[in-house]
Amino acid sequence: MGVAYGLGSAKFLHGLPMASQEIEALAGALARLPGLGPRSARRAVLHLMKRREGALMPLLAALETVAERLSTCSICGNVDTRDPCTICADPRRDEKSLCVVEEVSDLWALDRARLFPGRFHVLGGRLSALEGVRPEDLSVEPLLRRVAAGGIDEVVLAMNATLEGQTTAHYLAERLEKYPVRLTQLAHGLPVGGELDYLDEGTLAQALRARRPVA
């Protein structure tokens, strides 16, 4: 005999968990990651469970290794599994060029394009009166100390093309103008309101090549 479900039963079933508490917790954790919603997270969990040896176990091992070794670079503020980070420790980098970015994601976006041969400095955010972010909340003083130490010819202010980003760039330009360095910023290849981490490599390349002195 078939079982008929009424509207009340459907509502009841809708509230039931689809898997064990542990699997639901895993899906919930993945759903909190950027770019993943509940449905995408469930698909990812199913993929990992179906491919336990080929996907789940290597992922667990990689997460455990990163969790044990994760650190913030004491020089530039990058996130890596070593300190100094891989970029700061690379002797092939041009020590005379320094690119200042808002977040680690911006650093990774620019370095992923392989267009900037120098070193980086992560501010850890941007000035924002609405959010209460002040200069002392950012890694401004460490930046000034790096420039004051000498050996840097150019500082690229690679702020996002937002109002807060440009406000931050102007503030840094004022703080850096007393040092004998050339100040440049990314050109208008960046769309207004755009963020570096979401731009394609062609746009990033045009912005870097057309960088100009800070007024």
Side-chain angles (χ1 to χ4, degrees), residues 102 126 159-166 187 190-196:
E102 296 177 19
R126 57 192 176 189
M159 309 294 99
N160 288 309
T162 61
L163 177 61
E164 293 84 359
Q166 296 308 300
L190 295 177
V192 175
E195 296 187 2
L196 298 180

Side-chain angles (χ1 to χ4, degrees), residues 58-136:
L59 175 62
L60 290 176
L63 287 173
E64 184 177 4
T65 300
V66 171
E68 292 176 351
R69 303 179 182 178
L70 188 65
S71 64
T72 300
C73 180
S74 58
I75 298 177
C76 72
N78 187 20
V79 177
D80 205 339
T81 55
R82 56 185 295 185
D83 184 17
C85 70
T86 304
I87 293 177
C88 289
D90 189 349
R92 298 170 297 178
R93 291 277 178 171
D94 182 7
E95 297 183 353
K96 296 182 179 180
S97 298
L98 184 64
C99 183
V100 184
V101 296
E102 296 177 19
E103 302 286 358
V104 172
S105 59
D106 301 328
L107 185 159
W108 287 4
L110 288 170
D111 196 55
R112 185 170 61 239
R114 303 296 181 190
L115 297 168
F116 184 72
R119 301 184 184 275
F120 291 89
H121 185 88
V122 181
L123 291 174
R126 57 192 176 189
L127 296 177
S128 174
L130 292 177
E131 298 175 2
V133 180
R134 303 164 299 176
E136 51 267 34

Side-chain angles (χ1 to χ4, degrees), residues 34 39-40 59 79 99 108 119 122 130 140 153 165 175 182 197-198 202:
R39 292 184 179 180
S40 298
L59 175 62
V79 177
C99 183
W108 287 4
R119 301 184 184 275
V122 181
L130 292 177
V140 175
D153 293 338
R175 297 293 304 272
R182 184 164 66 100
D197 192 36
Y198 295 97

Side-chain angles (χ1 to χ4, degrees), residues 140 143-144 147-148 153 155 157 168-184 214-215:
V140 175
L143 168 64
L144 298 178
V147 176
D153 293 338
V155 175
L157 302 179
T168 305
H170 288 306
Y171 173 79
L172 293 177
E174 292 178 355
R175 297 293 304 272
L176 291 167
E177 64 180 359
K178 65 179 180 180
Y179 298 101
V181 295
R182 184 164 66 100
L183 292 177
T184 59
V214 177

